[in-house]
Amino acid sequence: MAWLRTLARSSRSLLSSKPSPWSVSGFHSTATAAGGGGFFSGLGSTEAGKDKPRLVVLGTGWAGCRLMKGIDTKLYDVVCISPRNHMVFTPLLASTCVGTLEFRSVAEPVGRIQPSISSAPGSYFFLARCASIDPDSHTVHCETVTDGSVKDTLEPWKFKVSYDKLVIASGAEASTFGIRGVREHAIFLREVHHAQEIRRKLLLNLMLSDVPGISEEEKRRLLHCVVIGGGPTGVEFSGELSDFIIRDVHERYSHVKDYIHVTLIEANEILSSFDVRLRTYATKQLTKSGVRLVRGIVKDVQPEKIILNDGTEVPYGLLVWSTGVGPSPFISSLQFPKSPGGRIGVDEWLRIPSVQDVFAIGDCSGFLESTGRPVLPALAQVAERQGKYLAGLLNQVCRAGGGHANRAANLELGAPFVYRHLGSMATVGRYKALVDLRQSKEAKGLSLAGFISWFIWRSAYLTRVISWRNRFYVAINWATTFVFGRDISRI
Amino acid sequence: MAWLRTLARSSRSLLSSKPSPWSVSGFHSTATAAGGGGFFSGLGSTEAGKDKPRLVVLGTGWAGCRLMKGIDTKLYDVVCISPRNHMVFTPLLASTCVGTLEFRSVAEPVGRIQPSISSAPGSYFFLARCASIDPDSHTVHCETVTDGSVKDTLEPWKFKVSYDKLVIASGAEASTFGIRGVREHAIFLREVHHAQEIRRKLLLNLMLSDVPGISEEEKRRLLHCVVIGGGPTGVEFSGELSDFIIRDVHERYSHVKDYIHVTLIEANEILSSFDVRLRTYATKQLTKSGVRLVRGIVKDVQPEKIILNDGTEVPYGLLVWSTGVGPSPFISSLQFPKSPGGRIGVDEWLRIPSVQDVFAIGDCSGFLESTGRPVLPALAQVAERQGKYLAGLLNQVCRAGGGHANRAANLELGAPFVYRHLGSMATVGRYKALVDLRQSKEAKGLSLAGFISWFIWRSAYLTRVISWRNRFYVAINWATTFVFGRDISRI
């Protein structure tokens, strides 16, 4: 703090009549701050009887956030480690790309989901990536996240955190199936910054295609939006995009409105997890809105075109890639037994059986083959249910005296985790959606399509948005879009 | 379009029962599109009697946008050329950095200000930069804007646009006074992306400073926000920042709340254009909110510290630079006579007297010395008034038959532009603002400070926000911030 004192001495305050109250009180309060000016390389282990047990959560997706929301912070200190400080409400992410919703409306800061994290003395959020786990010493090794888009960012630094309980909820990664050029030229749709990139590129292409001197062919290429993958994300994004084209591009970019097209490429069937009747309905609706549905397999991705397996070349201006997820390098690097598909293997209580006090939930985990249960699909619904279940389990373990490290081995854990599918929803644009309430692909059950489904879709998501603030904003955004159209400023 | 036909042929549609309606109707409508597939290198000159005269506007700031809003598009085709497709409501930009307002609420797309631009056959918006002007042939030479942040952006391409009337409204540039390191390490506060960068950096530093292993001194550096320049922008940003610290950081980053400080460095007096009583009030309010006011001159800017003229070193985590504006390289490159200060010299009717049909308004223009008038300050107020005046003048010229190139030389132009200062406003945080209604620095007149002023400040800006959509959003943002606090998700 020497520099601050020098600054105070050598500079005359503008308010020369009396000294700045800040410069006096400020020094006193800061000199007594915790840590005493020394260095510390992490959070050491807790002491039973003196400290609360420490729960370390890796990740801020559906699983991790639902877990933190349910944890009783009178029992545990919660330390969350994640490269992003917010949860993304993924089902509404596609809507933000075209301006139906604001980016901020679908992002929920962790501190709003679990307020203790920003105020309780032993709870923290660290903007960092977990590099490795040492289950023997109950420690995770981390590295702060740097960000190339901000000026003068620091070199990442490393630190360790001891845990009493560890929950791995760091999610999965978009799969590229080893196809060349996907990471370089396609945009995924999993994070808010992906949606921002898609939006910037779409608006840029709309404006560039209007500039004089551009050929008809180039104009058509720039405005060709290609979506790879016919799962719910790909279908919803195609639907939103065609809504945007029908309602907003026709009015606000009328010079180029006849040049913009959407193509959805899928190797098998679109929405394969849905009822056959709903699939047919979706196909009809999308085609009606101008989305071109193509069955094909991508072989190669180049800067301005993709090559399909049959040799067809498809020029594109915007390429969105949403073909499902696979294990991330971090998950693959962990030395725990894996479930089919390379996820971290867990038992019926979501524990990693080979070690003490470590759990895994969400897209990064799957039941071990030995449990005789199938690996659950990578859905928000599964992740959320697991987070909720595990929060209850951990609260119960702590109340039974097993909160601290190595104290839970002999505890009775109660009912194992059982997943009951509540159904699937997807919107296909133009105030139409699908709702499939069957419990599995084979089961019989209710399925709906059309405006009523769309209304259910919107209402369901509105009630599931976590904070009242964002619930309010999502409703306001929808109303504004309805009245004024979508926003097209490219910022 | 050969590729689109190949794609249609070689790929089986998912809806195999009947052919996709899009693939049939789509081809017909696109094959008849304008341009006929040929190349054209720009917009040629208009023909009197056949075409409307073409008004080309360079820039989308206060001046250019107010002009386009006032132009009668039954008289003119409007072509706007600018590197951004929206106007920024600059007086509220400081509020977006800390989340009081959303970024989108202060950006107004040009197409919403002048709807003709996106729908009328001869009117366009081009996302491009003007490279040079040829007043003899009535042509501007342009280059499309590329953007490093988007994947696979095209090489810029060049085109020409002929004009009947040209309005240069491309604004000024932040001045660095030749101080080393300013562009590399400091962030300006003039565009939405600047506000986004400030926000990302502020939230990053708040989170990094909470990570274990960081020294007390480094923590203090990371959370030291330094603002250079005590004009309205610098003061308002400091006030917003201290509001954010008092209300939101204390609650949501309580681990680091004692480490964050704001220092405002100004070489002379803060808010020098305001009444002395208001200046004293501002100084007192800012100091009370914890903003440290320092008189000093910056000599050198380094990645983590600045050096003042007296040798003091000031470490910083965030450095915001707002010391006023000077002419941009484009304006300096133009061969027109200049006003004092290097701006484009104009006469009392805002014309560039040496050439036909070229006007300049806003921060890039100033009265020629020969007019005997002082150069007006670089204020939104001046730019807006000039835009409004010139729109009226151009409408009148066209009605009098002087719309096309070289037809207005002998027309009577009527009353010259006269600027009447309506007063200045600035907020200093904590529901306090200043309102100075004097017409000039020397004049006597009403000046107010306090809550009433703050209320006037908010109401005045709310009514000046251009579209109803954004007016609605600004009001909603303010209400939400009041109820829920500021948003802290770092997206």
Side-chain angles (χ1 to χ4, degrees):
Chain A
M1 287 152 285
W3 58 268
L4 205 55
R5 262 186 297 265
T6 317
L7 180 64
R9 260 203 311 276
S10 70
S11 308
R12 285 152 293 149
S13 171
L14 284 180
L15 188 78
S16 47
S17 59
K18 50 175 177 172
S20 150
W22 181 85
S23 64
V24 179
S25 67
F27 279 121
H28 284 293
S29 67
T30 53
T32 59
F39 286 80
F40 47 111
S41 61
L43 297 178
S45 55
T46 61
E47 223 174 286
K50 194 176 147 222
D51 304 313
K52 281 193 258 184
R54 182 182 303 133
L55 167 67
V56 173
V57 181
L58 306 181
T60 48
W62 283 91
C65 286
R66 185 62 189 81
L67 172 88
M68 286 189 276
K69 194 182 170 201
I71 280 294
D72 185 344
T73 51
K74 285 198 288 295
L75 301 172
Y76 286 98
D77 281 335
V78 180
V79 173
C80 177
I81 299 166
S82 171
R84 63 172 198 215
N85 82 336
H86 57 274
M87 181 194 143
V88 180
F89 197 84
T90 41
L92 296 179
L93 194 56
S95 303
T96 63
C97 302
V98 296
T100 312
L101 290 177
E102 299 293 320
F103 299 116
R104 211 62 67 70
S105 306
V106 302
E108 201 75 73
V110 182
R112 220 187 278 150
I113 295 170
Q114 178 46 268
S116 284
I117 233 155
S118 44
S119 54
S123 292
Y124 295 96
F125 171 80
F126 297 144
L127 192 78
R129 209 166 264 130
C130 178
S132 64
I133 298 171
D134 180 358
D136 297 328
S137 68
H138 276 57
T139 315
V140 289
H141 296 247
C142 307
E143 200 176 85
T144 56
V145 169
T146 50
D147 178 350
S149 76
V150 166
K151 278 179 186 170
D152 303 323
T153 311
L154 299 165
E155 284 294 293
W157 69 79
K158 296 173 162 64
F159 60 93
K160 293 183 208 174
V161 178
S162 297
Y163 61 82
D164 290 297
K165 306 286 171 216
L166 174 67
V167 178
I168 308 172
S170 54
E173 211 178 66
S175 28
T176 63
F177 307 105
I179 299 165
R180 209 177 38 184
V182 177
R183 279 188 203 289
E184 293 77 13
H185 310 300
I187 311 179
F188 300 117
L189 185 46
R190 295 173 47 79
E191 303 280 350
V192 174
H193 68 87
H194 294 143
Q196 287 172 325
E197 198 180 343
I198 290 172
R199 182 183 166 85
R200 284 182 71 78
K201 184 129 192 189
L202 181 64
L203 293 176
L204 180 68
N205 288 352
L206 274 166
M207 287 185 284
L208 282 182
S209 63
D210 202 9
V211 166
I214 181 169
S215 72
E216 289 290 294
E217 186 148 4
E218 179 67 354
K219 208 160 172 169
R220 214 170 287 283
R221 176 189 76 78
L222 277 174
L223 295 181
H224 191 213
C225 307
V226 176
V227 183
I228 312 290
T233 307
V235 167
E236 295 199 339
F237 177 67
S238 307
E240 283 283 349
L241 205 51
S242 71
D243 270 6
F244 174 64
I245 293 168
I246 292 167
R247 170 141 185 212
D248 299 85
V249 172
H250 278 230
E251 185 185 322
R252 289 156 197 224
Y253 295 94
S254 59
H255 301 120
V256 296
K257 67 179 191 297
D258 297 327
Y259 293 86
I260 187 163
H261 291 124
V262 183
T263 299
L264 173 62
I265 300 180
E266 161 64 52
N268 301 300
E269 275 183 295
I270 64 161
L271 298 174
S272 57
S273 67
F274 282 77
D275 183 283
V276 62
R277 202 175 58 82
L278 295 184
R279 285 207 300 270
T280 313
Y281 180 84
T283 308
K284 219 173 88 189
Q285 279 300 323
L286 286 174
T287 311
K288 222 197 244 175
S289 331
V291 177
R292 186 177 174 71
L293 298 169
V294 170
R295 192 169 288 182
I297 294 169
V298 178
K299 201 171 70 180
D300 191 24
V301 177
Q302 296 176 7
E304 304 191 349
K305 66 183 178 198
I306 50 175
I307 319 284
L308 299 186
N309 248 1
D310 62 4
T312 317
E313 301 197 345
V314 186
Y316 66 85
L318 173 72
L319 181 62
V320 174
W321 194 271
S322 69
T323 55
V325 296
S328 67
F330 168 65
I331 295 300
S332 302
S333 77
L334 296 176
Q335 294 302 312
F336 303 124
K338 298 284 157 66
S339 78
R343 303 183 186 189
I344 303 175
V346 293
D347 67 11
E348 293 92 327
W349 293 270
L350 310 178
R351 293 180 300 189
I352 299 178
S354 53
V355 292
Q356 285 285 307
D357 299 319
V358 186
F359 303 78
I361 53 178
D363 293 359
C364 68
S365 75
F367 285 124
L368 284 164
E369 263 180 300
S370 58
T371 62
R373 301 192 185 192
V375 171
L376 296 170
L379 293 176
Q381 205 176 141
V382 175
E384 204 200 3
R385 226 71 65 71
Q386 290 183 331
K388 189 180 172 188
Y389 167 83
L390 190 55
L393 186 71
L394 288 172
N395 288 340
Q396 173 202 327
V397 163
C398 192
R399 287 200 190 95
H404 283 275
N406 299 313
R407 298 278 183 95
N410 303 315
L411 285 180
E412 184 55 60
L413 292 184
F417 175 74
V418 177
Y419 177 67
R420 241 179 85 91
H421 189 65
L422 288 182
S424 312
M425 297 192 291
T427 166
V428 290
R430 305 218 290 181
Y431 307 109
K432 301 279 192 298
L434 318 173
V435 174
D436 189 340
L437 297 176
R438 300 172 309 148
Q439 273 183 40
S440 72
K441 273 186 81 161
E442 294 71 35
K444 293 239 173 276
L446 190 63
S447 64
L448 288 173
F451 178 76
I452 303 283
S453 300
W454 178 85
F455 192 79
I456 295 175
W457 177 84
R458 281 224 164 162
S459 320
Y461 281 141
L462 196 55
T463 56
R464 297 203 75 73
V465 169
I466 289 172
S467 69
W468 278 103
R469 179 201 177 98
N470 275 357
R471 213 169 285 171
F472 173 71
Y473 262 112
V474 167
I476 290 282
N477 288 166
W478 276 337
T480 324
T481 298
F482 187 76
V483 177
F484 298 102
R486 293 172 178 83
D487 182 80
I488 54 157
S489 52
R490 182 169 174 275
I491 54 177
Chain B
M1 287 151 283
W3 58 268
L4 204 55
R5 263 186 296 265
T6 317
L7 179 64
R9 261 202 314 275
S10 70
S11 310
R12 286 152 291 148
S13 170
L14 285 180
L15 189 78
S16 48
S17 58
K18 50 174 175 170
S20 150
W22 181 85
S23 65
V24 179
S25 67
F27 279 120
H28 285 293
S29 68
T30 54
T32 60
F39 287 80
F40 47 112
S41 62
L43 299 178
S45 55
T46 62
E47 222 174 286
K50 195 177 146 220
D51 305 312
K52 282 193 259 184
R54 182 183 302 134
L55 167 67
V56 172
V57 181
L58 306 180
T60 48
W62 283 91
C65 286
R66 185 62 189 84
L67 171 88
M68 286 189 277
K69 193 181 172 204
I71 281 294
D72 185 344
T73 51
K74 287 198 287 296
L75 300 172
Y76 287 98
D77 281 336
V78 179
V79 173
C80 176
I81 299 166
S82 171
R84 65 174 197 213
N85 83 336
H86 56 274
M87 182 194 140
V88 180
F89 196 83
T90 41
L92 296 180
L93 194 56
S95 304
T96 63
C97 302
V98 296
T100 312
L101 290 177
E102 298 293 321
F103 299 117
R104 211 62 65 70
S105 306
V106 302
E108 200 75 74
V110 182
R112 222 187 278 149
I113 295 169
Q114 177 48 268
S116 284
I117 234 155
S118 44
S119 55
S123 292
Y124 295 96
F125 171 81
F126 297 145
L127 192 77
R129 208 165 266 131
C130 179
S132 64
I133 299 171
D134 179 357
D136 296 328
S137 69
H138 276 59
T139 315
V140 289
H141 296 247
C142 306
E143 200 176 85
T144 56
V145 170
T146 51
D147 179 349
S149 75
V150 167
K151 279 179 186 171
D152 303 323
T153 310
L154 299 165
E155 284 293 293
W157 68 78
K158 294 174 164 62
F159 60 93
K160 294 184 208 173
V161 178
S162 297
Y163 59 83
D164 291 298
K165 306 286 172 216
L166 174 67
V167 177
I168 308 172
S170 53
E173 212 179 62
S175 26
T176 62
F177 306 104
I179 299 165
R180 210 176 39 184
V182 177
R183 281 190 200 287
E184 293 77 12
H185 310 300
I187 311 178
F188 300 118
L189 185 46
R190 295 172 47 78
E191 303 281 349
V192 174
H193 68 86
H194 293 143
Q196 286 171 325
E197 199 181 341
I198 291 172
R199 183 183 166 85
R200 285 181 70 78
K201 183 129 193 190
L202 180 64
L203 292 176
L204 180 68
N205 288 352
L206 273 166
M207 287 185 285
L208 282 182
S209 63
D210 203 10
V211 167
I214 182 170
S215 72
E216 289 289 294
E217 184 148 5
E218 179 67 354
K219 208 162 175 170
R220 211 169 289 282
R221 177 190 75 77
L222 277 174
L223 295 181
H224 191 211
C225 307
V226 176
V227 183
I228 312 289
T233 306
V235 166
E236 294 199 339
F237 176 68
S238 307
E240 283 284 349
L241 204 52
S242 70
D243 270 6
F244 174 65
I245 293 169
I246 291 167
R247 168 138 189 213
D248 299 86
V249 173
H250 278 230
E251 186 183 324
R252 289 155 197 223
Y253 295 95
S254 59
H255 301 121
V256 296
K257 66 178 192 298
D258 297 326
Y259 293 86
I260 187 163
H261 291 125
V262 183
T263 300
L264 173 62
I265 300 180
E266 162 64 52
N268 301 300
E269 275 182 295
I270 63 161
L271 298 175
S272 57
S273 67
F274 282 77
D275 184 284
V276 62
R277 203 174 60 82
L278 296 183
R279 285 205 301 269
T280 313
Y281 180 84
T283 307
K284 219 172 89 188
Q285 280 299 323
L286 287 173
T287 311
K288 221 196 243 176
S289 330
V291 176
R292 187 176 174 72
L293 298 169
V294 169
R295 193 170 285 183
I297 294 170
V298 177
K299 201 171 69 180
D300 191 24
V301 177
Q302 296 176 8
E304 304 192 349
K305 66 184 178 201
I306 51 175
I307 318 283
L308 300 186
N309 247 0
D310 62 4
T312 317
E313 299 196 347
V314 186
Y316 66 84
L318 174 71
L319 181 62
V320 174
W321 193 270
S322 69
T323 55
V325 296
S328 69
F330 168 64
I331 295 301
S332 301
S333 78
L334 295 176
Q335 295 301 312
F336 303 125
K338 298 284 157 69
S339 76
R343 303 183 185 188
I344 303 174
V346 292
D347 68 10
E348 292 93 328
W349 293 270
L350 309 177
R351 294 180 299 188
I352 299 178
S354 53
V355 292
Q356 284 284 306
D357 299 319
V358 187
F359 303 79
I361 53 178
D363 293 359
C364 69
S365 75
F367 285 124
L368 284 163
E369 263 180 299
S370 58
T371 62
R373 301 194 187 191
V375 171
L376 295 170
L379 294 175
Q381 205 177 141
V382 174
E384 204 201 4
R385 225 74 63 70
Q386 290 183 332
K388 188 180 173 190
Y389 167 84
L390 190 56
L393 186 71
L394 288 172
N395 289 340
Q396 174 202 326
V397 162
C398 192
R399 288 199 189 95
H404 284 276
N406 299 313
R407 298 278 183 94
N410 302 314
L411 285 180
E412 184 54 59
L413 293 183
F417 174 74
V418 177
Y419 177 67
R420 240 179 86 93
H421 189 65
L422 287 183
S424 313
M425 296 192 292
T427 166
V428 290
R430 305 217 291 180
Y431 306 109
K432 301 280 192 295
L434 318 173
V435 173
D436 188 341
L437 297 176
R438 299 173 309 149
Q439 274 184 41
S440 72
K441 271 186 81 160
E442 293 71 34
K444 294 239 172 276
L446 190 62
S447 64
L448 286 172
F451 178 75
I452 303 282
S453 299
W454 178 84
F455 193 78
I456 295 176
W457 177 85
R458 282 222 162 163
S459 321
Y461 281 141
L462 196 55
T463 56
R464 298 202 75 73
V465 169
I466 288 171
S467 70
W468 278 103
R469 180 202 177 96
N470 275 357
R471 214 169 285 172
F472 173 69
Y473 263 112
V474 167
I476 290 282
N477 288 166
W478 277 337
T480 324
T481 298
F482 187 77
V483 177
F484 299 102
R486 292 172 179 83
D487 182 80
I488 54 157
S489 51
R490 181 168 175 276
I491 55 177

